Amino acid sequence: MKESPLVPAANNVHVSLNERSYEIEIACGRLRSLSNALADLIKGNSAVVVTDTNVGPIYLDHVRQQLSVNATKVETLTVEAGEQSKSVNVCDSLWQQLDELGTDRNTTIVALGGGVVGDLAGFIAATYARGLDFIQVPTSLLAQVDSSVGGKVGINLPHSKNMVGAFWQPKRVVIDPEVLDTLDESNYIAGMAEVVKYGLIMDAELFEFIEQNVARILARDHDILGRLIAWCCRCKAAIVKEDERESSGARATLNYGHTYGHAIESVFGYGEFLHGQAISIGMVCAARLGKQLGMVDQSFCDRQRALFQSLGLPVRCPETRHDELIAAMQRDKKVVSGQLKLILPKGIGTVAFLRAPADSEIFKSLIND
Ligand code: GLY
């Protein structure tokens, strides 16, 4: 990757969190001039890049070279690509390696990869030496529009996704929509489920914009992608500003479709469904439950489903193991004082909470139309 003298001005989004505030820089080609984007943060520090076996071979050399412009030393830690790397064992190995590298408080961790790398590297940054600075350079659509923003970092336990973690905000997020060119088709499409989710939970205009631009989205048009990513990051920044630690309820709305989705991922295995695919099905089920309870009508369900289908996202719940799905939903982190709390739609752009839905209603919502 060559440095471009013509990198366009960044489309920044500010995440306003008092002393933990930071910028999300979004611009096509930004990775090519990463040294400029990070100069103020890296200067005089050493950097440790955490990446994985998929992303490292494509971008690591360039990112190391860019960081070397300002950093005193640049090291790399590479983990196996895939959800299984968000584990206690991998964390343990990374902590030991940081120790062997002589990592100190003047080290900045740079997460180069998708959601797994961002969550894992962020958790390492949050915990090693009681906290190191970290920077997110997300390379998947899901990470660019959701997981790299807002400071949720963590790892999985064998039966509970994201159960061990922290809120640890990055110092900056640098997003280059061009890196999505190298993302495989299913991960790209799966990331679109999170993009549509923002429209559904809080922004009808965004939902309509997606409906009107499906062809350009499928063609990975950089201009549309830059606009969509910035739009989603503005939505997420507003939510995180209001409810950084998911205590008032605003942030929990981001989990629309996720309780169903996490259950599908955990019952059918994390390799079977990508996260975005599982939450696409999850949002379809949540809308069906909303309809059962009179919160939305059939036309809402049809419109939501049509958009997912036009993007190539799955909309049908697996037709077996419904009891296990319900049990997994009841184990979800969103169970408070023994009561499951679901986010259900009230219309395009608005959602509401439903406490303690009956298992029989959940069961019905799993049955495909
Ligand atoms: N991905 C959900 C959140 O950041 O709260």
Side-chain angles (χ1 to χ4, degrees):
M1 200 180 240
K2 290 211 175 62
E3 178 149 5
S4 158
L6 291 173
V7 173
N11 186 2
N12 284 10
V13 175
H14 183 69
V15 184
S16 180
L17 291 169
N18 302 317
E19 72 284 0
R20 294 179 307 291
S21 299
Y22 54 95
E23 296 300 313
I24 310 168
E25 287 198 11
I26 304 150
C28 286
R30 201 57 179 136
L31 205 59
R32 281 181 246 140
S33 64
L34 193 64
S35 64
N36 296 338
L38 300 180
D40 56 323
L41 295 177
I42 297 280
K43 216 168 187 56
N45 274 17
S46 60
V48 176
V49 185
V50 180
T51 191
D52 71 19
T53 49
N54 282 346
V55 174
I58 312 175
Y59 297 115
L60 184 58
D61 284 351
H62 171 76
V63 167
R64 282 184 60 99
Q65 176 264 319
Q66 286 287 300
L67 292 172
S68 306
V69 173
N70 297 297
T72 51
K73 190 170 74 161
V74 181
E75 305 282 1
T76 304
L77 301 177
T78 301
V79 300
E80 278 298 316
E83 190 71 30
Q84 70 282 358
S85 282
K86 273 176 63 174
S87 68
V88 178
N89 285 348
V90 173
C91 251
D92 182 33
S93 156
L94 293 179
W95 284 320
Q96 304 291 342
Q97 291 177 70
L98 287 178
D99 200 27
E100 281 154 24
L101 291 171
T103 304
D104 63 15
R105 284 276 175 80
N106 290 327
T107 303
T108 300
I109 302 286
V110 179
L112 172 67
V116 167
V117 166
D119 286 6
L120 176 66
F123 185 60
I124 292 295
T127 48
Y128 192 84
R130 295 198 180 85
L132 301 176
D133 286 354
F134 99 109
I135 291 164
Q136 292 268 22
V137 185
T139 58
S140 71
L141 181 57
L142 181 136
Q144 293 184 342
V145 298
D146 181 34
S147 60
S148 70
V149 177
K152 274 193 184 175
V153 296
I155 56 172
N156 303 328
L157 294 180
H159 300 291
S160 302
K161 199 172 151 117
N162 295 332
M163 194 45 91
V164 178
F167 289 96
W168 190 249
Q169 299 295 341
K171 293 290 176 196
R172 187 153 305 151
V173 183
V174 181
I175 299 178
D176 184 345
E178 282 182 14
V179 303
L180 300 179
D181 289 352
T182 56
L183 189 64
D184 66 90
E185 184 71 3
S186 18
N187 272 294
Y188 174 70
I189 297 298
M192 274 299 154
E194 297 281 4
V195 175
V196 176
K197 180 197 75 181
Y198 286 107
L200 288 163
I201 64 170
M202 64 191 288
D203 196 329
E205 215 181 304
L206 171 58
F207 188 87
E208 278 160 28
F209 182 82
I210 302 166
E211 283 182 323
Q212 286 155 10
N213 286 285
V214 168
R216 289 176 73 187
I217 289 170
L218 294 178
R220 305 195 196 191
D221 177 296
H222 290 162
D223 175 51
I224 287 286
L225 280 174
R227 286 160 72 181
L228 273 180
I229 294 164
W231 202 330
C232 293
C233 286
R234 276 195 299 276
C235 288
K236 178 113 189 217
I239 286 184
V240 170
K241 178 181 179 207
E242 189 182 332
D243 183 18
E244 183 184 6
R245 298 177 73 90
E246 202 167 317
S247 46
S248 74
R251 190 160 182 166
T253 61
L254 291 167
N255 294 315
Y256 176 49
H258 281 57
T259 303
Y260 286 98
H262 287 159
I264 292 169
E265 285 177 280
S266 103
V267 169
F268 290 92
Y270 287 102
E272 194 62 29
F273 288 92
L274 293 171
H275 175 69
Q277 295 171 328
I279 66 155
S280 169
I281 297 168
M283 288 185 268
V284 170
C285 295
R288 203 153 36 226
L289 181 55
K291 194 190 77 175
Q292 286 163 212
L293 302 176
M295 294 170 66
V296 284
D297 58 16
Q298 187 63 42
S299 70
F300 171 91
C301 298
D302 292 345
R303 192 171 166 199
Q304 179 187 263
R305 187 189 358 238
L307 183 54
F308 288 144
Q309 281 178 312
S310 68
L311 290 166
L313 285 159
V315 294
R316 291 183 71 77
C317 187
E319 287 176 351
T320 56
R321 304 173 75 179
H322 288 173
D323 290 342
E324 287 171 75
L325 285 174
I326 294 171
M329 287 174 73
Q330 296 289 1
R331 276 199 309 272
D332 192 88
K333 286 198 298 309
K334 275 72 204 173
V335 173
V336 181
S337 312
Q339 286 196 335
L340 178 59
K341 200 171 78 174
L342 288 178
I343 293 103
L344 298 187
K346 282 172 65 186
I348 306 281
T350 37
V351 284
F353 290 98
L354 174 74
R355 277 181 201 282
D359 280 1
S360 57
E361 290 293 348
I362 300 179
F363 188 89
K364 250 167 62 188
S365 70
L366 298 172
I367 310 290
N368 296 310
D369 301 326

